[in-house]
C-alpha cells in the first residue's frame, strides 16, 4: 500500500501557497505603491502647473502663439523663447520635472523644453483630451533614453501628466505636459518591495519550517500508527489464516472420523468386509433390483467347520489371521458384483445375483467349499478347516432380507447336520424343523423346574471279574407333550442356547446327591461318572460349580469322575489348567469318546487324566472291522504305557466283551450288562451284580 506522505504533500502545497501569497502580496504592494507614486507625482505636477500658470503664464501669452493653427506655418518661438525656456527650466530646477510641454487647445505643441517637438499634434491623445476636459491624467512609463532639458538621460522612469491650464474665468486655455523623473522613487519602491518580500518569505519560511516540524512529527505518529495498524492487520490476517487452517484441519479430521465411524459401523474391523448392518442394506438393494428386473438371486450362508478348534488350540491371533485368509480366498473367487459380508464369528454370507438356474448356485457353493477345504498356511501352521453352506433363493424361499437370511441360516444348519463340508438348499420343511427347535428350547428351559429331568445310571463292570465298579450318569428328559427326548437332541440345543450351564449343574448336584443317598442306604458305589460339556468349561466357574456340588452334598471328591470329550481337551482354552484344578480338587478325570479326536501322545502325557473311554464307534467294529480292532488295540496299549485305565463303552455283545477282555481292557460299559437305569432300578441291578 502506497502510504500517504503528509510531509511531501504539505511541503508542495505550502510552497505553492507561499509563492502565490508572496507573488500576490508583492504585486499588490507594487501596484499600490506605483499608483501612490503616480498620484503623488500627478499632484506635484498639478501644483507646478499652478505655479507655472501664476508666475509665467503672462510671459507665455505674450511670447507663445496660443492661437497657432495647423495650417499655419511652423510656429515660431518668440524672440525671447530661449529666455522663456530658461525661465521654465529655472522654475523646475530643484524639482523632479525633466521636461515641460505646452499644447494649445487645438493639441498643437506650442512650447517644449525640447524645441524639436514644437508643432507636434496631440489632438488625438487620450491624455490631452482628458486634460482639455478639465481632468488631469498621468501615466508611468519607462524610457530607455529620454531627452530632458538637462540633456539626454537613459534608463528613466517618468510620470507624464497632462494638466489643464485653467484661467481665472475657469476656461481651459491649454494643456501642460510635465514629465517627472520618478526613477529613484520607483527604485526605492522596488527595494522596499524586495525587503518586504524577503521579510515575508522569511516569516513564511520560519512558519513553514515550524509547521514542517509539526507535520513531520504528525507524519511520524501517523506512520507509527499506520505501521501498528498494518502490523495488527498482518497479525489478524495471520491469525485468520491460522484459524482457517485449523478449522480446515478440524473439518477434515471430523470428516475423516465420521468416515471412519461410518466405516466401522458398516464394516467388520478384522476382515474389512461389510458387516451385518451393511450387508442387510446391500441385500435390500439387490432384492429391489432383482424384483424390478424379474430376476432371481441367491443368499449363501457360509459357516466354517472346525474354526473353533483352531481358535481354541492355537489362540485368537491365529484364528483372526485364518479369518482374514478365508476372506481373501472367498473374495478372490466371487464375482465382483457378489456381495460378501461377515456376520460375526466364523459366519460369512454372500449374495449371488442374476441367477437363471439354481444349479449354478449349487456349483458356486461346492466350489467355495472345495476352496475352503484346501489347507491355509498361517504362520508355521498348516490349518485344515471346512465350510458348510446354506443356500436360499429369492423370490422362491423368501422375498425380504430377514426371511432370506434366516432361511439361508436354517439351510446351513441342515448342511451341518448332514455332515460337515456340505451345502444345502433351503426347503420349507427346514423352517418347520427350526420352529421345532425353538419350541424345544422353550420347553427345555422349563424342564428343571417342571421336574422333567431325571438321571439314569449305567453300570460299569470290571472286565476281568465282571463285578460292578461304578456308574455313568446320563440325563433323561421326559416331557408331557413330546414324551422322552434323547440327549443327542437336547444336549446340543442346550449347548447352543447356553442352557447347558444350568443343566450341567443340575446333573452334577443330582449325581452327587444320589451317590450320598445310596451310600447312606448302604449301597457303596465307588464312583459315579458325570459328563461335562465343552460349553460348561468355556462358560467358566466350572471348578467352583463342581466344588460347590461336592461341598453341598458332602460327597467325597474321589467318588466323582468327570468325563470330558477328547475334542474338548484339544479345543478349550487352557484345558490343561482346568484339568489340573480338577485334579487338585481330588476328582477323577476320564477322556470320553477317545480315538475320535486328534490328541497327540505328548499332550496326553501331560494331562492329569486317569481313564480313557474307548468310543462306541470302534467297539461296534469288533469282529467286523480290522481297522477298528487295530485302533482299540493301540488305545489299550497306549493307555497301559501311560499308566491309564481303559473303559470300553457301548459293549452290547459277548464277542465284543471277549475281545476287549482278551486285550486287557479294564472296564466294560454297555447294554450287555445294563442299559442306563433310573436310580432305584440301578440300585437293584448293582446289588444283584455285586452279590
Ligand atoms: P456318552 O457319554 O458317550 O454316553 C454313552 C452313550 O452310549 C449313552 O447314550 C448310552 O445310553 C449309550 N450306550 C451305552 N451302552 C450302549 C450300548 O451297548 N449300545 C448302544 N447303542 N448305546 C449304548 P445317551 O444316554 O443317549 O447319551 C448320549 C450322549 O449324550 C452321551 O454320550 C453324552 O455325550 C451325552 N450326555 C448324556 N447325558 C449327559 C449329561 O448329563 N451331560 C452331558 N454334558 N452330556 C450328556
Ligand atoms: Mg460319557
Ligand atoms: Mg462316550
Amino acid at each position: 500500500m502506497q502510504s500517504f506522505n503528509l510531509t511531501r504533500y504539505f511541503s508542495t502545497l505550502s510552497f505553492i501557497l507561499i509563492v502565490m501569497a508572496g507573488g500576490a502580496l508583492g504585486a499588490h504592494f507594487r501596484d499600490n505603491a506605483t499608483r501612490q507614486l503616480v498620484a503623488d507625482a500627478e499632484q506635484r505636477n498639478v501644483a507646478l502647473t499652478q505655479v507655472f500658470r501664476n508666475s509665467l503664464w503672462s510671459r507665455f501669452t505674450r511670447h507663445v502663439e496660443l492661437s497657432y493653427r495647423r495650417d499655419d506655418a511652423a510656429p515660431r518661438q518668440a524672440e525671447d523663447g530661449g529666455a522663456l525656456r530658461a525661465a521654465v527650466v529655472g522654475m523646475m530646477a530643484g524639482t523632479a520635472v525633466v521636461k515641460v510641454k505646452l499644447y494649445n487647445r487645438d493639441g498643437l505643441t506650442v512650447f517644449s523644453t525640447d524645441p524639436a517637438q514644437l508643432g507636434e499634434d496631440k489632438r488625438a491623445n487620450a491624455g490631452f483630451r482628458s486634460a482639455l476636459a478639465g481632468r488631469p491624467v498621468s501615466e508611468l512609463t519607462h524610457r530607455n533614453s529620454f531627452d530632458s532639458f538637462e540633456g539626454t538621460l537613459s534608463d528613466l522612469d517618468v510620470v507624464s501628466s497632462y494638466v489643464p491650464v485653467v484661467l481665472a474665468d475657469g476656461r481651459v486655455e491649454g494643456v501642460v505636459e510635465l514629465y517627472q523623473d520618478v526613477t529613484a522613487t520607483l527604485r526605492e519602491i522596488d527595494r522596499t518591495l524586495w525587503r518586504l518580500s524577503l521579510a515575508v518569505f522569511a516569516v513564511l519560511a520560519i512558519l513553514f519550517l515550524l509547521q514542517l516540524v509539526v507535520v513531520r512529527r504528525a507524519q511520524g505518529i501517523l506512520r507509527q500508527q499506520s505501521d501498528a495498524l498494518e502490523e495488527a492487520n498482518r497479525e489478524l490476517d495471520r491469525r485468520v489464516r491460522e484459524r482457517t487452517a485449523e478449522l480446515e484441519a478440524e473439518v477434515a479430521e471430523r470428516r475423516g472420523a465420521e468416515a471412519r465411524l461410518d466405516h466401522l459401523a458398516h464394516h467388520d474391523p478384522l476382515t474389512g468386509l461389510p458387516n451385518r448392518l451393511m450387508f442387510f442394506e446391500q441385500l435390500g438393494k439387490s432384492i429391489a433390483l432383482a424384483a424390478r428386473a424379474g430376476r432371481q438371486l441367491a443368499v449363501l450362508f457360509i459357516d466354517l467347520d472346525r474354526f473353533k478348534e483352531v481358535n481354541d488350540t492355537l489362540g485368537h491371533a491365529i484364528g483372526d489371521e485364518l479369518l482374514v485368509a478365508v476372506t481373501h480366498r472367498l473374495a478372490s473367487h466371487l464375482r465382483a458384483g457378489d456381495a460378501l459380508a461377515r456376520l460375526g464369528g466364523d459366519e460369512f454370507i454372500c449374495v449371488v445375483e442374476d441367477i437363471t438356474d439354481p444349479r449354478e448356485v449349487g456349483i458356486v457353493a461346492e466350489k467355495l467349499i472345495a476352496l475352503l477345504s484346501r489347507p491355509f498356511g498361517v504362520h508355521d501352521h498348516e490349518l485344515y478347516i471346512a465350510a458348510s453352506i446354506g443356500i436360499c433363493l429369492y423370490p422362491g424361499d423368501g422375498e425380504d432380507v430377514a426371511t432370506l437370511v434366516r432361511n439361508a441360516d436354517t439351510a446351513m444348519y441342515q448342511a451341518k447336520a448332514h455332515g460337515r463340508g456340505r451345502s444345502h438348499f433351503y426347503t420349507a420343511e427346514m423352517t418347520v424343523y427350526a420352529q421345532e427347535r425353538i419350541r424345544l428350547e422353550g420347553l427345555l428351559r422349563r424342564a428343571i423346574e417342571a421336574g422333567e429331568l431325571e438321571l439314569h445310571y449305567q453300570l460299569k463292570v470290571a472286565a476281568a471279574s465282571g463285578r460292578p465298579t461304578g456308574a455313568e450318569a446320563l440325563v433323561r428328559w421326559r416331557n408331557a407333550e413330546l414324551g422322552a427326548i434323547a440327549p443327542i437332541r437336547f444336549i446340543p440345543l442346550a449347548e447352543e442356547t447356553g442352557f447347558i450351564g444350568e443343566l450341567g449343574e443340575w446333573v452334577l448336584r443330582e449325581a452327587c446327591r444320589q451317590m450320598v443317598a445310596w451310600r447312606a442306604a448302604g449301597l457303596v458305589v465307588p464312583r459315579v461318572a458325570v459328563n461335562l460339556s465343552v460349553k460348561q468349561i468355556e462358560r467358566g466357574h466350572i471348578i467352583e460349580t463342581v466344588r460347590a456340588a461336592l461341598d453341598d452334598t458332602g460327597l467325597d471328591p474321589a467318588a466323582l469322575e468327570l468325563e470330558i470329550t477328547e475334542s474338548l481337551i484339544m479345543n478349550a482354552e487352557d484345558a490343561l489348567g482346568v484339568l489340573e484344578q480338577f485334579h487338585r480338587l481330588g476328582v477323577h478325570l476320564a477322556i470320553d469318546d477317545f480315538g475320535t479326536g486328534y490328541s497327540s501322545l505328548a499332550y496326553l502325557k501331560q494331562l492329569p487324566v486317569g481313564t480313557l473311554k474307548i468310543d462306541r464307534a470302534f467297539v461296534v467294529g469288533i469282529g467286523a472291522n480290522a481297522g477298528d480292532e487295530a485302533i482299540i488295540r493301540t488305545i489299550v496299549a497306549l493307555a497301559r504305557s501311560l499308566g491309564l485305565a481303559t473303559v470300553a463303552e457301548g459293549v452290547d455283545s459277548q464277542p465284543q466283551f471277549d475281545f476287549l477282555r482278551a486285550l486287557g481292557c479294564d472296564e466294560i460299559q454297555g447294554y450287555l450288562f445294563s442299559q442306563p437305569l433310573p436310580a432305584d432300578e440301578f440300585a437293584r441291578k448293582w446289588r444283584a451284580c455285586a452279590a
Side-chain angles (χ1 to χ4, degrees):
M1 186 184 75
Q2 177 72 46
S3 70
F4 174 69
N5 192 329
L6 188 64
T7 312
R8 193 189 307 149
Y9 191 75
F10 167 80
S11 310
T12 313
L13 202 67
S14 298
F15 179 76
I16 292 170
L17 283 176
I18 288 172
V19 167
M20 275 168 62
L25 214 65
H28 180 70
F29 170 80
R30 195 173 195 283
D31 189 47
N32 259 0
T34 45
R35 212 173 306 138
Q36 191 59 48
L37 169 82
V38 171
D40 289 351
E42 189 181 86
Q43 223 173 6
R44 276 196 302 278
N45 285 342
V46 169
L48 277 172
T49 306
Q50 193 62 39
V51 172
F52 169 75
R53 202 197 73 80
N54 291 342
S55 58
L56 293 177
W57 191 252
S58 54
R59 286 179 67 182
F60 265 82
T61 45
R62 257 184 281 134
H63 298 289
V64 174
E65 280 185 72
L66 287 174
S67 54
Y68 173 73
R69 295 284 181 275
R70 234 155 287 116
D71 40 357
D72 291 345
R76 290 170 290 104
Q77 196 82 33
E79 59 269 27
D80 63 340
L84 190 60
R85 184 178 173 271
V88 170
V89 171
M91 196 180 80
M92 297 302 167
T95 69
V97 174
V98 285
K99 191 174 185 176
V100 179
K101 285 162 87 177
L102 176 66
Y103 308 106
N104 69 4
R105 290 186 56 89
D106 277 340
L108 287 175
T109 310
V110 289
F111 172 81
S112 172
T113 46
D114 179 4
Q117 289 177 321
L118 281 175
E120 273 180 3
D121 188 355
K122 285 278 179 148
R123 218 175 354 161
N125 185 285
F128 165 77
R129 294 170 75 86
S130 174
L132 197 64
R135 283 190 311 278
V137 169
S138 302
E139 188 189 26
L140 176 67
T141 48
H142 180 81
R143 304 289 173 90
N144 289 331
S145 94
F146 187 83
D147 291 322
S148 74
F149 43 69
E150 287 159 337
T152 300
L153 301 170
S154 59
D155 246 346
L156 210 66
D157 291 300
V158 288
V159 174
S160 57
S161 305
Y162 288 92
V163 184
V165 181
V166 187
L167 297 184
D169 55 1
R171 213 162 46 85
V172 176
E173 191 63 18
V175 172
V176 176
E177 190 183 3
L178 289 164
Y179 289 84
Q180 200 167 135
D181 177 9
V182 292
T183 309
T185 319
L186 205 61
R187 287 222 178 108
E188 186 53 37
I189 285 174
D190 281 343
R191 269 200 294 280
T192 308
L193 179 66
W194 271 113
R195 278 199 294 276
L196 199 72
S197 295
L198 273 177
V200 166
F201 273 114
V203 168
L204 288 178
I206 290 168
L207 208 66
F208 169 78
L209 286 174
L210 287 175
Q211 281 183 346
L212 189 66
V213 169
V214 173
V215 164
R216 284 182 72 94
R217 176 98 185 86
Q219 162 119 31
I221 291 168
L222 276 180
R223 189 173 300 137
Q224 269 175 12
Q225 283 177 348
S226 142
D227 285 353
L229 207 67
E230 255 176 50
E231 180 55 36
N233 269 340
R234 271 200 298 276
E235 176 66 16
L236 202 68
D237 276 355
R238 194 181 56 72
R239 283 209 208 136
V240 165
R241 273 199 305 278
E242 269 178 22
R243 187 73 195 115
T244 309
E246 271 171 29
L247 281 176
E248 276 168 2
E250 264 173 43
V251 167
E253 196 183 320
R254 194 166 308 158
R255 286 221 186 96
E258 274 167 14
R260 278 197 298 281
L261 277 181
D262 187 67
H263 192 269
L264 276 180
H266 291 93
H267 290 83
D268 164 39
L270 176 64
T271 60
L273 285 179
N275 62 10
R276 178 182 293 268
L277 182 68
M278 189 166 170
F279 176 77
F280 275 42
E281 281 173 19
Q282 285 178 338
L283 182 55
K285 286 181 196 151
S286 298
I287 289 173
L289 284 175
R292 220 172 299 149
R295 297 214 189 99
Q296 290 194 85
L297 60 80
V299 176
L300 273 64
F301 200 108
I302 306 164
D303 187 278
L304 303 184
D305 302 327
R306 305 178 47 125
F307 170 73
K308 232 197 107 23
E309 287 176 28
V310 172
N311 219 16
D312 291 342
T313 50
L314 301 174
H316 289 118
I318 301 277
D320 283 354
E321 284 192 38
L322 178 60
L323 285 175
V324 173
V326 166
T327 302
H328 286 152
R329 211 177 268 187
L330 283 175
S332 65
H333 283 79
L334 284 171
R335 284 183 305 192
D338 298 336
L340 175 67
R342 181 176 170 222
L343 296 187
D346 56 0
E347 290 175 348
F348 293 82
I349 194 161
C350 84
V351 180
V352 178
E353 290 186 70
D354 210 358
I355 287 165
T356 44
D357 186 342
R359 277 174 295 185
E360 290 170 32
V361 193
I363 293 167
V364 170
E366 291 309 320
K367 264 195 198 159
L368 293 180
I369 288 170
L371 204 64
L372 295 179
S373 62
R374 295 214 311 262
F376 286 88
V378 177
H379 288 287
D380 295 339
H381 305 279
E382 195 174 55
L383 302 172
Y384 288 86
I385 54 164
S388 302
I389 299 181
I391 307 165
C392 160
L393 298 167
Y394 167 89
D397 300 331
E399 298 194 2
D400 60 279
V401 173
T403 309
L404 285 170
V405 172
R406 194 178 58 238
N407 290 347
D409 187 19
T410 306
M412 187 276 294
Y413 270 102
Q414 201 64 19
K416 274 207 196 291
H418 280 78
R420 304 182 160 208
R422 288 173 194 240
S423 66
H424 207 288
F425 278 89
Y426 171 78
T427 59
E429 296 81 64
M430 287 179 194
T431 302
V432 176
Y433 169 76
Q435 283 166 354
E436 181 65 28
R437 261 170 56 96
I438 292 169
R439 183 158 158 253
L440 206 62
E441 188 194 329
L443 291 173
L444 181 60
R445 283 193 180 278
R446 288 191 292 275
I448 296 178
E449 286 167 38
E452 294 175 352
L453 295 183
E454 194 192 348
L455 283 190
H456 282 192
Y457 299 89
Q458 189 174 29
L459 199 64
K460 292 182 191 175
V461 300
S465 64
R467 294 186 71 82
T469 51
E472 177 176 6
L474 294 157
V475 68
R476 294 292 175 260
W477 179 25
R478 176 169 289 279
N479 177 264
E481 288 173 51
L482 304 172
I485 303 135
I488 203 74
R489 269 184 76 194
F490 69 84
I491 294 289
L493 184 67
E495 285 179 338
E496 277 169 38
T497 59
F499 184 63
I500 193 71
E502 279 174 64
L503 188 128
E505 190 175 347
W506 182 86
V507 169
L508 259 172
R509 287 179 170 274
E510 177 58 18
C512 293
R513 189 200 60 76
Q514 187 60 63
M515 282 289 278
V516 173
W518 278 329
R519 287 184 174 194
L523 185 82
V524 180
V525 179
R527 198 177 289 163
V528 68
V530 171
N531 291 284
L532 276 194
S533 156
V534 69
K535 301 282 175 190
Q536 279 173 273
I537 295 184
E538 279 172 2
R539 285 163 62 92
H541 313 301
I542 187 65
I543 309 291
E544 289 74 17
T545 306
V546 171
R547 186 185 289 130
L550 290 169
D551 290 351
D552 293 353
T553 55
L555 183 67
D556 172 15
L560 181 64
E561 183 168 58
L562 297 174
E563 287 191 14
I564 297 156
T565 56
E566 189 185 4
S567 60
L568 179 149
I569 292 167
M570 295 310 291
N571 292 347
E573 206 172 317
D574 196 27
L576 183 59
V578 174
L579 294 188
E580 271 166 358
Q581 290 189 61
F582 279 140
H583 185 64
R584 278 203 289 279
L585 209 60
V587 299
H588 281 261
L589 294 170
I591 299 181
D592 204 353
D593 304 341
F594 191 77
T596 54
Y598 304 86
S599 24
S600 77
L601 199 56
Y603 190 49
L604 212 56
K605 272 188 351 199
Q606 298 177 33
L607 301 176
V609 171
T611 308
L612 299 184
K613 283 189 87 173
I614 301 164
D615 195 69
R616 198 174 81 84
F618 305 113
V619 174
V620 169
I622 293 173
N625 188 319
D628 288 344
E629 289 179 357
I631 289 172
I632 295 172
R633 245 185 243 113
T634 312
I635 293 173
V636 173
L638 174 74
R640 193 172 294 146
S641 73
L642 292 172
L644 302 176
T646 42
V647 180
E649 62 180 359
V651 179
D652 57 5
S653 70
Q654 195 59 45
Q656 291 170 350
F657 175 69
D658 292 340
F659 176 84
L660 291 160
R661 188 175 53 182
L663 268 183
C665 178
D666 299 302
E667 287 170 272
I668 304 293
Q669 181 187 345
Y671 293 173
L672 183 62
F673 291 94
S674 171
Q675 296 235 341
L677 297 170
D680 48 349
E681 280 184 46
F682 175 81
R684 276 199 292 281
K685 183 86 186 171
W686 181 277
R687 287 202 174 95
C689 285

